[in-house]
Amino acid sequence: MPHDHAHTVLPSDPALRVKALETLLVEKGLVDPAAVQEIIETYEHRVGPQNGAKLVARIWSDPEFKKAILAEPMPILQELGYYGRQGEHMVLVENTPTLHNMVVCTLCSCYPWPLLGIPPGWYKSDAYRARAVREPRKVLAEFGLNLPDEKNIRVWDSTAEIRYLVIPERPKGTEGWSEDQLVPLVTRDSMIGTGLAQAPTQ
Amino acid sequence: MTQPSPTFEAPWHADVFALTVALHDNGTFDWPEWTHIFGSVLAQQGCDQELDGGDDYFTAWVIALEEMLSRKGLADSEILSSLKTAWTQAYLDTPHGQPVQIKRADA
């Protein structure tokens, strides 16, 4: 066929390799195309940082719940449906006036999918993965988060088995707010530790 | 507030992610096995250039999945390569707007 640009745009090399993988896996009966589509739908529309935000808002609002989930998160997360199919164990790490937590995966990009969805590009970048442990204060400053020198920073390195969620500090001026009012203040970055919960805007 | 970015920047990112999760779901491999291979591919790829976490990250993902399936004897690299050629040809042969299908001699 002459090259007259009337054909469909040729996908990139990795995209064609994915096509090849998909064809082979479906032909061999190793994956069900409907299951694959369902996974994409789930992550594009149903799983995301709103899950983590709801959890954090409840932790801020309910001291009994907070005590229980910090002590033993897995049974509660399973009950709430925030449970990953990768069989990972979640650890919730709480920010305090003297301690700031941040999360990285230096190996690849392990991340609490059920609570935060798919990680953003920067979380998967070499720059973040290599530098978060070595120079966290500088990395946080690049996110616009300048922490005072007296605030300690603890960096948690995720693995296939253990994932972390940061519980940010509840913003001042939100006393008496309902969980629903608090949820929008809990940003994705605040639960990775590269940001803080948003301050209320009057 | 910044605008929410799309979950997957390209359809093939979503496809390779979902294929991997589906294979894990049906017990083809366990997740630590996956992160081990994926982590070493990322480390190799990152030796020559700094990965930005976008296309290059998912390209490493594709390489890792091919590697995982080859180790398990589930995907021969020659078969994958001929399927890729078939898909390339199908895209080149299909008029714009038509669904792209591959023709297989052995199908």
mmCIF file of all heavy atoms in Angstrom, chain B residues 56-94:
data_model
loop_
_atom_site.group_PDB
_atom_site.id
_atom_site.type_symbol
_atom_site.label_atom_id
_atom_site.label_comp_id
_atom_site.label_asym_id
_atom_site.label_seq_id
_atom_site.Cartn_x
_atom_site.Cartn_y
_atom_site.Cartn_z
ATOM 1 N N ASP B 56 8.239 6.413 29.732
ATOM 2 C CA ASP B 56 9.403 5.553 29.994
ATOM 3 C C ASP B 56 9.120 4.575 31.141
ATOM 4 O O ASP B 56 9.575 3.439 31.138
ATOM 5 C CB ASP B 56 10.675 6.380 30.235
ATOM 6 C CG ASP B 56 10.505 7.450 31.301
ATOM 7 O OD1 ASP B 56 9.497 7.419 32.035
ATOM 8 O OD2 ASP B 56 11.394 8.315 31.393
ATOM 9 N N TYR B 57 8.328 5.030 32.098
ATOM 10 C CA TYR B 57 7.947 4.159 33.212
ATOM 11 C C TYR B 57 7.098 2.987 32.703
ATOM 12 O O TYR B 57 7.325 1.828 33.043
ATOM 13 C CB TYR B 57 7.176 4.987 34.232
ATOM 14 C CG TYR B 57 6.522 4.203 35.348
ATOM 15 C CD1 TYR B 57 7.228 3.895 36.513
ATOM 16 C CD2 TYR B 57 5.202 3.787 35.248
ATOM 17 C CE1 TYR B 57 6.625 3.190 37.540
ATOM 18 C CE2 TYR B 57 4.589 3.088 36.270
ATOM 19 C CZ TYR B 57 5.305 2.793 37.409
ATOM 20 O OH TYR B 57 4.698 2.098 38.419
ATOM 21 N N PHE B 58 6.125 3.297 31.851
ATOM 22 C CA PHE B 58 5.271 2.223 31.352
ATOM 23 C C PHE B 58 5.987 1.370 30.294
ATOM 24 O O PHE B 58 5.631 0.208 30.104
ATOM 25 C CB PHE B 58 3.927 2.774 30.865
ATOM 26 C CG PHE B 58 2.975 3.019 32.004
ATOM 27 C CD1 PHE B 58 2.745 4.295 32.493
ATOM 28 C CD2 PHE B 58 2.337 1.949 32.632
ATOM 29 C CE1 PHE B 58 1.891 4.506 33.572
ATOM 30 C CE2 PHE B 58 1.484 2.142 33.710
ATOM 31 C CZ PHE B 58 1.262 3.427 34.179
ATOM 32 N N THR B 59 6.985 1.945 29.616
ATOM 33 C CA THR B 59 7.797 1.120 28.718
ATOM 34 C C THR B 59 8.548 0.070 29.552
ATOM 35 O O THR B 59 8.609 -1.101 29.176
ATOM 36 C CB THR B 59 8.799 2.000 27.926
ATOM 37 O OG1 THR B 59 8.041 2.928 27.150
ATOM 38 C CG2 THR B 59 9.678 1.166 27.005
ATOM 39 N N ALA B 60 9.077 0.491 30.686
ATOM 40 C CA ALA B 60 9.729 -0.464 31.592
ATOM 41 C C ALA B 60 8.721 -1.514 32.062
ATOM 42 O O ALA B 60 9.048 -2.695 32.203
ATOM 43 C CB ALA B 60 10.334 0.277 32.789
ATOM 44 N N TRP B 61 7.503 -1.079 32.275
ATOM 45 C CA TRP B 61 6.437 -1.998 32.702
ATOM 46 C C TRP B 61 6.221 -3.075 31.619
ATOM 47 O O TRP B 61 6.097 -4.270 31.913
ATOM 48 C CB TRP B 61 5.150 -1.202 32.950
ATOM 49 C CG TRP B 61 4.053 -1.975 33.633
ATOM 50 C CD1 TRP B 61 3.451 -3.115 33.177
ATOM 51 C CD2 TRP B 61 3.436 -1.672 34.902
ATOM 52 N NE1 TRP B 61 2.491 -3.533 34.070
ATOM 53 C CE2 TRP B 61 2.463 -2.679 35.138
ATOM 54 C CE3 TRP B 61 3.603 -0.658 35.850
ATOM 55 C CZ2 TRP B 61 1.653 -2.690 36.281
ATOM 56 C CZ3 TRP B 61 2.790 -0.676 36.985
ATOM 57 C CH2 TRP B 61 1.843 -1.673 37.205
ATOM 58 N N VAL B 62 6.179 -2.639 30.333
ATOM 59 C CA VAL B 62 5.989 -3.571 29.218
ATOM 60 C C VAL B 62 7.141 -4.581 29.179
ATOM 61 O O VAL B 62 6.919 -5.804 29.066
ATOM 62 C CB VAL B 62 5.899 -2.806 27.869
ATOM 63 C CG1 VAL B 62 5.865 -3.784 26.691
ATOM 64 C CG2 VAL B 62 4.673 -1.904 27.842
ATOM 65 N N ILE B 63 8.369 -4.080 29.298
ATOM 66 C CA ILE B 63 9.544 -4.968 29.273
ATOM 67 C C ILE B 63 9.453 -5.984 30.416
ATOM 68 O O ILE B 63 9.715 -7.178 30.238
ATOM 69 C CB ILE B 63 10.848 -4.141 29.386
ATOM 70 C CG1 ILE B 63 11.004 -3.232 28.157
ATOM 71 C CG2 ILE B 63 12.065 -5.041 29.556
ATOM 72 C CD1 ILE B 63 12.084 -2.168 28.303
ATOM 73 N N ALA B 64 9.057 -5.503 31.589
ATOM 74 C CA ALA B 64 8.970 -6.385 32.758
ATOM 75 C C ALA B 64 7.898 -7.458 32.569
ATOM 76 O O ALA B 64 8.100 -8.622 32.943
ATOM 77 C CB ALA B 64 8.697 -5.558 34.020
ATOM 78 N N LEU B 65 6.770 -7.075 31.968
ATOM 79 C CA LEU B 65 5.712 -8.063 31.757
ATOM 80 C C LEU B 65 6.167 -9.112 30.733
ATOM 81 O O LEU B 65 5.928 -10.315 30.916
ATOM 82 C CB LEU B 65 4.413 -7.377 31.317
ATOM 83 C CG LEU B 65 3.193 -8.308 31.158
ATOM 84 C CD1 LEU B 65 2.896 -9.063 32.451
ATOM 85 C CD2 LEU B 65 1.951 -7.528 30.718
ATOM 86 N N GLU B 66 6.839 -8.667 29.678
ATOM 87 C CA GLU B 66 7.365 -9.618 28.688
ATOM 88 C C GLU B 66 8.351 -10.584 29.366
ATOM 89 O O GLU B 66 8.308 -11.795 29.138
ATOM 90 C CB GLU B 66 8.086 -8.862 27.555
ATOM 91 C CG GLU B 66 7.154 -8.109 26.625
ATOM 92 C CD GLU B 66 7.888 -7.168 25.659
ATOM 93 O OE1 GLU B 66 9.104 -6.928 25.840
ATOM 94 O OE2 GLU B 66 7.242 -6.660 24.735
ATOM 95 N N GLU B 67 9.186 -10.014 30.210
ATOM 96 C CA GLU B 67 10.202 -10.809 30.926
ATOM 97 C C GLU B 67 9.541 -11.839 31.858
ATOM 98 O O GLU B 67 9.903 -13.007 31.887
ATOM 99 C CB GLU B 67 11.088 -9.833 31.712
ATOM 100 C CG GLU B 67 12.005 -10.462 32.745
ATOM 101 C CD GLU B 67 13.252 -11.075 32.139
ATOM 102 O OE1 GLU B 67 13.581 -10.707 30.994
ATOM 103 O OE2 GLU B 67 13.874 -11.923 32.810
ATOM 104 N N MET B 68 8.544 -11.354 32.600
ATOM 105 C CA MET B 68 7.827 -12.237 33.535
ATOM 106 C C MET B 68 7.181 -13.410 32.787
ATOM 107 O O MET B 68 7.294 -14.572 33.186
ATOM 108 C CB MET B 68 6.752 -11.407 34.257
ATOM 109 C CG MET B 68 5.703 -12.202 34.971
ATOM 110 S SD MET B 68 6.326 -12.882 36.502
ATOM 111 C CE MET B 68 6.045 -11.481 37.581
ATOM 112 N N LEU B 69 6.515 -13.102 31.666
ATOM 113 C CA LEU B 69 5.812 -14.147 30.925
ATOM 114 C C LEU B 69 6.793 -15.102 30.266
ATOM 115 O O LEU B 69 6.537 -16.308 30.173
ATOM 116 C CB LEU B 69 4.885 -13.513 29.887
ATOM 117 C CG LEU B 69 3.719 -12.722 30.492
ATOM 118 C CD1 LEU B 69 3.006 -11.912 29.424
ATOM 119 C CD2 LEU B 69 2.722 -13.657 31.197
ATOM 120 N N SER B 70 7.932 -14.573 29.828
ATOM 121 C CA SER B 70 8.930 -15.436 29.221
ATOM 122 C C SER B 70 9.533 -16.380 30.265
ATOM 123 O O SER B 70 9.695 -17.568 30.023
ATOM 124 C CB SER B 70 9.976 -14.561 28.517
ATOM 125 O OG SER B 70 11.248 -15.074 28.695
ATOM 126 N N ARG B 71 9.817 -15.863 31.476
ATOM 127 C CA ARG B 71 10.343 -16.713 32.546
ATOM 128 C C ARG B 71 9.386 -17.841 32.898
ATOM 129 O O ARG B 71 9.796 -18.913 33.300
ATOM 130 C CB ARG B 71 10.585 -15.891 33.817
ATOM 131 C CG ARG B 71 11.822 -15.058 33.758
ATOM 132 C CD ARG B 71 12.165 -14.595 35.153
ATOM 133 N NE ARG B 71 12.999 -13.408 35.099
ATOM 134 C CZ ARG B 71 13.490 -12.790 36.155
ATOM 135 N NH1 ARG B 71 13.197 -13.235 37.370
ATOM 136 N NH2 ARG B 71 14.242 -11.739 36.022
ATOM 137 N N LYS B 72 8.092 -17.532 32.782
ATOM 138 C CA LYS B 72 7.091 -18.544 33.146
ATOM 139 C C LYS B 72 6.763 -19.452 31.968
ATOM 140 O O LYS B 72 5.869 -20.297 32.072
ATOM 141 C CB LYS B 72 5.804 -17.855 33.618
ATOM 142 C CG LYS B 72 6.020 -16.961 34.809
ATOM 143 C CD LYS B 72 4.960 -17.192 35.861
ATOM 144 C CE LYS B 72 5.351 -16.585 37.183
ATOM 145 N NZ LYS B 72 5.626 -17.555 38.219
ATOM 146 N N GLY B 73 7.424 -19.209 30.840
ATOM 147 C CA GLY B 73 7.161 -20.031 29.660
ATOM 148 C C GLY B 73 5.799 -19.757 29.042
ATOM 149 O O GLY B 73 5.238 -20.606 28.352
ATOM 150 N N LEU B 74 5.253 -18.558 29.306
ATOM 151 C CA LEU B 74 3.909 -18.259 28.809
ATOM 152 C C LEU B 74 3.914 -17.416 27.539
ATOM 153 O O LEU B 74 2.898 -17.308 26.861
ATOM 154 C CB LEU B 74 3.101 -17.528 29.899
ATOM 155 C CG LEU B 74 2.826 -18.348 31.160
ATOM 156 C CD1 LEU B 74 2.196 -17.478 32.231
ATOM 157 C CD2 LEU B 74 1.936 -19.541 30.844
ATOM 158 N N ALA B 75 5.037 -16.774 27.252
ATOM 159 C CA ALA B 75 5.079 -15.937 26.043
ATOM 160 C C ALA B 75 6.473 -16.000 25.444
ATOM 161 O O ALA B 75 7.433 -15.535 26.049
ATOM 162 C CB ALA B 75 4.696 -14.502 26.366
ATOM 163 N N ASP B 76 6.534 -16.558 24.270
ATOM 164 C CA ASP B 76 7.788 -16.681 23.549
ATOM 165 C C ASP B 76 8.070 -15.353 22.844
ATOM 166 O O ASP B 76 7.175 -14.752 22.263
ATOM 167 C CB ASP B 76 7.571 -17.819 22.547
ATOM 168 C CG ASP B 76 8.787 -18.077 21.728
ATOM 169 O OD1 ASP B 76 8.928 -17.438 20.663
ATOM 170 O OD2 ASP B 76 9.587 -18.908 22.169
ATOM 171 N N SER B 77 9.328 -14.897 22.896
ATOM 172 C CA SER B 77 9.608 -13.577 22.329
ATOM 173 C C SER B 77 9.404 -13.556 20.811
ATOM 174 O O SER B 77 9.027 -12.530 20.243
ATOM 175 C CB SER B 77 11.013 -13.116 22.702
ATOM 176 O OG SER B 77 11.949 -14.022 22.192
ATOM 177 N N GLU B 78 9.608 -14.698 20.155
ATOM 178 C CA GLU B 78 9.386 -14.715 18.695
ATOM 179 C C GLU B 78 7.909 -14.564 18.350
ATOM 180 O O GLU B 78 7.550 -13.888 17.390
ATOM 181 C CB GLU B 78 9.910 -16.019 18.089
ATOM 182 C CG GLU B 78 11.397 -15.958 17.832
ATOM 183 C CD GLU B 78 11.927 -17.266 17.254
ATOM 184 O OE1 GLU B 78 11.163 -17.965 16.567
ATOM 185 O OE2 GLU B 78 13.098 -17.578 17.524
ATOM 186 N N ILE B 79 7.070 -15.224 19.156
ATOM 187 C CA ILE B 79 5.626 -15.098 18.907
ATOM 188 C C ILE B 79 5.183 -13.654 19.145
ATOM 189 O O ILE B 79 4.439 -13.079 18.344
ATOM 190 C CB ILE B 79 4.833 -16.072 19.813
ATOM 191 C CG1 ILE B 79 5.167 -17.515 19.432
ATOM 192 C CG2 ILE B 79 3.328 -15.814 19.709
ATOM 193 C CD1 ILE B 79 4.553 -18.568 20.324
ATOM 194 N N LEU B 80 5.692 -13.057 20.245
ATOM 195 C CA LEU B 80 5.321 -11.667 20.527
ATOM 196 C C LEU B 80 5.774 -10.752 19.402
ATOM 197 O O LEU B 80 5.063 -9.844 18.980
ATOM 198 C CB LEU B 80 5.944 -11.210 21.858
ATOM 199 C CG LEU B 80 5.253 -11.739 23.116
ATOM 200 C CD1 LEU B 80 6.009 -11.262 24.355
ATOM 201 C CD2 LEU B 80 3.800 -11.278 23.186
ATOM 202 N N SER B 81 6.974 -11.027 18.909
ATOM 203 C CA SER B 81 7.513 -10.188 17.851
ATOM 204 C C SER B 81 6.684 -10.318 16.565
ATOM 205 O O SER B 81 6.408 -9.327 15.886
ATOM 206 C CB SER B 81 8.976 -10.580 17.651
ATOM 207 O OG SER B 81 9.439 -10.112 16.449
ATOM 208 N N SER B 82 6.232 -11.554 16.249
ATOM 209 C CA SER B 82 5.435 -11.698 15.024
ATOM 210 C C SER B 82 4.049 -11.078 15.213
ATOM 211 O O SER B 82 3.480 -10.509 14.279
ATOM 212 C CB SER B 82 5.353 -13.166 14.593
ATOM 213 O OG SER B 82 4.456 -13.866 15.409
ATOM 214 N N LEU B 83 3.528 -11.144 16.432
ATOM 215 C CA LEU B 83 2.245 -10.480 16.685
ATOM 216 C C LEU B 83 2.380 -8.966 16.557
ATOM 217 O O LEU B 83 1.490 -8.284 16.034
ATOM 218 C CB LEU B 83 1.735 -10.836 18.090
ATOM 219 C CG LEU B 83 1.052 -12.186 18.237
ATOM 220 C CD1 LEU B 83 0.844 -12.515 19.708
ATOM 221 C CD2 LEU B 83 -0.287 -12.197 17.497
ATOM 222 N N LYS B 84 3.509 -8.454 17.022
ATOM 223 C CA LYS B 84 3.726 -7.006 16.919
ATOM 224 C C LYS B 84 3.802 -6.600 15.443
ATOM 225 O O LYS B 84 3.227 -5.584 15.040
ATOM 226 C CB LYS B 84 5.012 -6.613 17.655
ATOM 227 C CG LYS B 84 5.198 -5.117 17.724
ATOM 228 C CD LYS B 84 6.564 -4.737 18.241
ATOM 229 C CE LYS B 84 6.982 -3.436 17.579
ATOM 230 N NZ LYS B 84 8.403 -3.190 17.691
ATOM 231 N N THR B 85 4.483 -7.404 14.650
ATOM 232 C CA THR B 85 4.567 -7.122 13.209
ATOM 233 C C THR B 85 3.171 -7.160 12.583
ATOM 234 O O THR B 85 2.822 -6.297 11.775
ATOM 235 C CB THR B 85 5.473 -8.174 12.525
ATOM 236 O OG1 THR B 85 6.726 -8.185 13.206
ATOM 237 C CG2 THR B 85 5.691 -7.847 11.059
ATOM 238 N N ALA B 86 2.381 -8.135 12.997
ATOM 239 C CA ALA B 86 1.023 -8.248 12.451
ATOM 240 C C ALA B 86 0.193 -7.011 12.805
ATOM 241 O O ALA B 86 -0.542 -6.477 11.966
ATOM 242 C CB ALA B 86 0.350 -9.512 12.978
ATOM 243 N N TRP B 87 0.337 -6.533 14.058
ATOM 244 C CA TRP B 87 -0.403 -5.330 14.470
ATOM 245 C C TRP B 87 0.088 -4.104 13.702
ATOM 246 O O TRP B 87 -0.713 -3.264 13.282
ATOM 247 C CB TRP B 87 -0.273 -5.098 15.978
ATOM 248 C CG TRP B 87 -1.319 -5.843 16.764
ATOM 249 C CD1 TRP B 87 -1.135 -6.922 17.568
ATOM 250 C CD2 TRP B 87 -2.726 -5.572 16.801
ATOM 251 N NE1 TRP B 87 -2.330 -7.343 18.102
ATOM 252 C CE2 TRP B 87 -3.325 -6.523 17.651
ATOM 253 C CE3 TRP B 87 -3.546 -4.612 16.197
ATOM 254 C CZ2 TRP B 87 -4.698 -6.551 17.915
ATOM 255 C CZ3 TRP B 87 -4.921 -4.631 16.457
ATOM 256 C CH2 TRP B 87 -5.479 -5.600 17.311
ATOM 257 N N THR B 88 1.407 -4.006 13.511
ATOM 258 C CA THR B 88 1.964 -2.858 12.778
ATOM 259 C C THR B 88 1.377 -2.827 11.374
ATOM 260 O O THR B 88 0.913 -1.794 10.897
ATOM 261 C CB THR B 88 3.503 -2.983 12.709
ATOM 262 O OG1 THR B 88 4.002 -3.125 14.038
ATOM 263 C CG2 THR B 88 4.132 -1.768 12.047
ATOM 264 N N GLN B 89 1.387 -4.001 10.721
ATOM 265 C CA GLN B 89 0.873 -4.089 9.357
ATOM 266 C C GLN B 89 -0.616 -3.739 9.328
ATOM 267 O O GLN B 89 -1.076 -3.016 8.450
ATOM 268 C CB GLN B 89 1.118 -5.502 8.799
ATOM 269 C CG GLN B 89 1.074 -5.566 7.281
ATOM 270 C CD GLN B 89 2.006 -4.519 6.639
ATOM 271 O OE1 GLN B 89 3.180 -4.424 6.989
ATOM 272 N NE2 GLN B 89 1.471 -3.712 5.727
ATOM 273 N N ALA B 90 -1.336 -4.222 10.334
ATOM 274 C CA ALA B 90 -2.776 -3.960 10.377
ATOM 275 C C ALA B 90 -3.056 -2.459 10.477
ATOM 276 O O ALA B 90 -3.948 -1.938 9.807
ATOM 277 C CB ALA B 90 -3.400 -4.697 11.554
ATOM 278 N N TYR B 91 -2.266 -1.756 11.299
ATOM 279 C CA TYR B 91 -2.468 -0.300 11.411
ATOM 280 C C TYR B 91 -2.167 0.394 10.097
ATOM 281 O O TYR B 91 -2.859 1.321 9.686
ATOM 282 C CB TYR B 91 -1.608 0.285 12.544
ATOM 283 C CG TYR B 91 -2.278 0.170 13.888
ATOM 284 C CD1 TYR B 91 -1.974 -0.877 14.760
ATOM 285 C CD2 TYR B 91 -3.247 1.092 14.277
ATOM 286 C CE1 TYR B 91 -2.614 -1.002 15.987
ATOM 287 C CE2 TYR B 91 -3.889 0.982 15.508
ATOM 288 C CZ TYR B 91 -3.567 -0.064 16.359
ATOM 289 O OH TYR B 91 -4.208 -0.173 17.555
ATOM 290 N N LEU B 92 -1.099 -0.084 9.424
ATOM 291 C CA LEU B 92 -0.722 0.550 8.151
ATOM 292 C C LEU B 92 -1.742 0.262 7.055
ATOM 293 O O LEU B 92 -1.948 1.073 6.160
ATOM 294 C CB LEU B 92 0.671 0.073 7.718
ATOM 295 C CG LEU B 92 1.827 0.504 8.626
ATOM 296 C CD1 LEU B 92 3.130 -0.146 8.189
ATOM 297 C CD2 LEU B 92 1.965 2.029 8.625
ATOM 298 N N ASP B 93 -2.392 -0.904 7.132
ATOM 299 C CA ASP B 93 -3.322 -1.307 6.073
ATOM 300 C C ASP B 93 -4.751 -0.815 6.298
ATOM 301 O O ASP B 93 -5.585 -0.906 5.402
ATOM 302 C CB ASP B 93 -3.385 -2.849 5.973
ATOM 303 C CG ASP B 93 -2.088 -3.433 5.442
ATOM 304 O OD1 ASP B 93 -1.260 -2.635 4.955
ATOM 305 O OD2 ASP B 93 -1.901 -4.663 5.535
ATOM 306 N N THR B 94 -5.042 -0.382 7.509
ATOM 307 C CA THR B 94 -6.432 -0.042 7.820
ATOM 308 C C THR B 94 -6.696 1.431 7.524
ATOM 309 O O THR B 94 -5.991 2.294 8.044
ATOM 310 C CB THR B 94 -6.731 -0.329 9.311
ATOM 311 O OG1 THR B 94 -6.381 -1.690 9.576
ATOM 312 C CG2 THR B 94 -8.200 -0.103 9.629
#
